[in-house]
Amino acid sequence: MDTTLLSIFYGGSRTYFYSTLFFPRDIRRDVFILYSFVRVADDYVDAIPQETEAFYSFVDTYQRAASGEITGNVVIDGFADLALRLSFEPKWVDAFLGSMEMDITVSQYETEKDLLGYLYGSSEVVGLMMARILRLPERADHAARLLGRAMQYINFIRDIPEDLTLGRLYFPVQELNQFGLASLDETHIRRNPEAFDAFLQRQIGRYEVWQEEAERGFSSIPARSLIPVKTASDMYTWTAQVIQNCPSIVYERKVKPSIPRIVATALGNTVAISSRRACGNAPWLFSHKSQD
């Protein structure tokens, strides 16, 4: 494993990194390549101040790599090879880079429809790429999109203060108005705790609908790959439940599962999935609501 990809992944997401370790080696490497590409692009637009010039240079370098040029950038060249090898749709990559550019040009989304446009590029197409890495049938594409969308939405909920610092609001403005909220600024929320709690319950409810539908696609995933996928999914559900129990916690700390929790969940899923598949049962029927 290239040390550059390893360091990017390790420094970017604890949940994804430790879950990914349970993939077979060849799949694990491809996941590292994919994650490194999307992480680097995201880091440019999330920097303070934004590294706009570096982002557009990244896009240009990718376009050259996609045309067959060896650019010398290990992250981009590796991803271009992966995209070619697994037949990623070029429009998926375009949509991803387009959503990253929106983080430069767009600060809020008026409606759910507007937000879904951003979510498609920032998360759903990544789910589609993951489906190709796992060699899943096309019938799994819908679930893959929804799982990516659901996980991203929990990130939005968890990272409200961080995103406000970046000048962004990743929730429909119309819904803030419906709950009588002028903003999600902490000072305003402390004055309107009941409205905020109700607003956040609505957002978590949206996540739960998407998550439940995504889990129906787990039946398409081979057992060895289902273990890390379900582990990551379980950890996002755990995060949602912690926030649901105390919405104001998002202003107090960044809710993330510990490494022991991630590893223990992965080991538990290994035993449960292996035994249930051996018996012909469906491990994905475990309710995500049963997670601690």
Side-chain angles (χ1 to χ4, degrees), residues 264-280:
T265 300
L267 294 174
N269 282 333
T270 299
V271 173
I273 289 170
S274 299
S275 62
R276 286 197 166 217
R277 287 225 163 154
C279 296

Side-chain angles (χ1 to χ4, degrees), residues 142-160:
H142 179 66
R145 286 180 58 178
L146 283 176
L147 187 60
R149 184 199 296 176
M151 289 179 169
Q152 178 76 307
Y153 213 64
I154 288 302
N155 286 342
F156 292 166
I157 294 170
R158 181 195 66 192
D159 296 342
I160 288 174

